């Protein structure tokens, strides 16, 4: 069964550094998302991406964050200058269409980001 | 904005039936989903209710009452592998008719032998 893949599985970085989290969504999916989950807390929406542009973003997704689809397969999340509070598990997800009854989100296994 | 309430923790024994409730408040509503997440793993889609009533998928069923802003996930014949966190999520109306899901805080289910 096709799956969403994320790399790396764990990233440790120092405060103020830039990080890029990488994702390969399922190939025939059209909508891509980033969510994050601080340890022990709920999954929070960051951004959705369709047709090479951001279609929705949350208040968390400020100017320090950006997303890109540099080629036909990868989907990246960049954090420009990391803060301690950015430490979380970051999940990439994709769906065939906008979230609807027959188009659930398919999540990757996540990248655990630790900012020291 | 949107908010979802679900119990933080539920414990049950193998073979039993457990119901995880979810109440929500949204500015619009396009359906209630349920996701399962094992420790250290990714959320995995379980079910979706767009209309009132019961949806059944094997041992799992999900119910929705839009008039009560309430839904539940029913797990039958519990197995040890069902120990996980379960999240309800709403796709709610927003200015772009939303791609985003808002998740509840999750219910940690512990199945004991």
């Amino acid at each position: 069964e096709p799956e969403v893949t994320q790399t790396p599985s764990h990233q440790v970085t120092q405060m103020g550094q830039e990080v890029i989290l990488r994702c390969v969504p399922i190939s025939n999916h059209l909508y891509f998302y980033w969510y994050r989950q601080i340890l022990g807390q709920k999954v929070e929406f960051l951004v959705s991406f369709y047709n090479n542009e951001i279609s929705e973003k949350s208040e968390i997704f400020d100017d320090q964050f950006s997303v890109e689809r540099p080629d036909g397969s990868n989907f990246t999340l960049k954090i420009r200058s990391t803060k301690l509070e950015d430490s979380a598990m970051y999940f990439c997800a994709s769906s065939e269409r906008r979230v609807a009854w027959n188009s659930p989100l398919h999540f990757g296994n996540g990248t655990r980001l630790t900012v020291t | 904005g949107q908010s979802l309430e679900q119990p933080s923790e539920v414990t049950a024994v193998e073979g039993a039936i457990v119901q995880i409730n979810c109440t929500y408040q949204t500015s619009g509503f396009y359906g209630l989903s349920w996701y399962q997440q094992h420790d250290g793993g990714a959320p995995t889609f379980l079910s979706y209710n767009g209309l009132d009533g019961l949806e059944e998928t094997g041992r799992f069923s999900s119910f929705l009452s839009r008039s009560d802003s309430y839904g539940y996930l029913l797990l039958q014949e519990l197995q040890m592998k069902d120990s996980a966190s379960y999240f309800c999520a709403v796709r709610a109306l927003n200015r772009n008719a939303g791609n985003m899901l808002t998740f509840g805080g999750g219910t940690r289910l512990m199945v004991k032998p």
Side-chain angles (χ1 to χ4, degrees):
Chain A
E1 186 174 325
E3 57 182 25
V4 176
T5 57
Q6 291 185 243
T7 55
S9 56
H10 193 185
Q11 173 93 46
V12 181
T13 190
Q14 288 189 326
M15 198 167 51
Q17 295 297 304
E18 174 184 286
V19 293
I20 298 177
L21 310 183
R22 302 182 191 279
C23 169
V24 179
I26 295 174
S27 60
N28 65 336
H29 284 187
L30 301 177
Y31 293 86
F32 315 119
Y33 313 84
W34 285 100
Y35 284 77
R36 80 172 186 189
Q37 185 177 33
I38 295 169
L39 188 63
Q41 298 187 25
K42 66 180 180 180
V43 178
E44 299 175 293
F45 171 79
L46 293 179
V47 66
S48 63
F49 192 86
Y50 170 70
N51 200 26
N52 285 319
E53 61 182 20
I54 290 173
S55 52
E56 189 70 32
K57 60 182 180 179
S58 71
E59 293 160 356
I60 303 169
F61 194 88
D62 61 22
D63 292 344
Q64 293 299 310
F65 290 87
S66 62
V67 289
E68 194 177 34
R69 187 155 164 83
D71 53 44
S73 58
N74 291 285
F75 179 51
T76 62
L77 174 69
K78 181 193 290 186
I79 309 175
R80 210 179 326 277
S81 176
T82 50
K83 303 188 284 284
L84 292 176
E85 53 265 38
D86 293 328
S87 295
M89 181 73 91
Y90 287 79
F91 290 105
C92 174
S94 67
S95 66
E96 287 183 74
R97 292 183 290 278
R98 282 184 168 182
V99 178
W101 72 271
N102 59 350
S103 188
L105 295 184
H106 295 257
F107 285 86
N109 284 328
T111 292
R112 180 165 295 286
L113 177 64
T114 303
V115 182
T116 62
Chain B
Q2 295 87 39
S3 68
L4 298 95
E5 295 291 329
Q6 51 181 130
S8 59
E9 199 170 287
V10 172
T11 302
V13 296
E14 226 176 344
I17 299 172
V18 73
Q19 178 174 312
I20 299 173
N21 298 321
C22 175
T23 56
Y24 58 87
Q25 286 186 315
T26 66
S27 54
F29 182 74
Y30 282 102
L32 185 71
S33 300
W34 289 91
Y35 283 78
Q36 178 192 60
Q37 185 182 32
H38 287 98
D39 282 349
T44 304
F45 174 77
L46 289 178
S47 70
Y48 173 88
N49 293 74
L51 300 173
D52 290 353
L54 193 68
E55 293 284 340
E56 297 182 75
T57 310
R59 294 187 297 115
F60 295 180
S61 304
S62 58
F63 171 83
L64 175 66
S65 168
R66 288 175 296 171
S67 60
D68 296 321
S69 297
Y70 163 76
Y72 65 72
L73 180 70
L74 191 73
L75 299 87
Q76 302 182 75
E77 301 171 21
L78 281 175
Q79 301 175 8
M80 298 296 290
K81 67 178 183 180
D82 297 330
S83 293
S85 291
Y86 293 85
F87 294 87
C88 58
V90 292
R91 179 192 172 211
L93 182 67
N94 58 35
R95 62 187 182 278
N96 287 331
N99 289 325
M100 56 183 279
L101 286 183
T102 299
F103 284 82
T107 299
R108 189 172 187 82
L109 171 64
M110 286 183 287
V111 180
K112 297 187 173 180

